[in-house]
Amino acid sequence: MNAVFAITLGMLCLAGLLALLRVLRGPSTLDRIAALDVFVVLIVAAAAVYVAIYQDSSNIPLLAAVALIIFIGSATAARLVERWERHR
């Protein structure tokens, strides 16, 4: 089972690097916002793997709250960018 956790964390790290690359190279602001959203979701997924490894379920409500806040923040940021680009 430890191999599965190691492979999962490795894939999450690779996805995080690719998301950070998109943040740095993203041609538009919306691309950067989406990449940051993906990056934070990957952090939440890595924390969920931590919960699975140590079988500590005390962090699950925290993970749910962070995921909800990030979703609302990304939707709001995308809406503001859309308005800002429309007024350009």
Side-chain angles (χ1 to χ4, degrees), residues 44 47-48 51-52 55-67:
V44 170
V51 166
Q55 297 176 353
D56 179 24
S57 62
S58 64
N59 292 331
I60 292 177
L62 177 66
L63 294 176
V66 168

Side-chain angles (χ1 to χ4, degrees), residues 14-39 42:
L14 178 64
L17 288 174
L18 292 173
L20 284 178
L21 181 67
R22 177 52 60 192
V23 168
L24 296 175
R25 295 188 55 194
S28 71
T29 306
L30 287 176
D31 289 335
R32 289 185 172 104
I33 290 171
L36 284 173
D37 186 37
V38 167
F39 186 72
L42 290 171

Side-chain angles (χ1 to χ4, degrees), residues 2-17:
N2 288 337
V4 173
F5 292 138
I7 291 170
T8 303
L9 287 175
M11 291 173 66
L12 287 172
C13 287
L14 178 64
L17 288 174

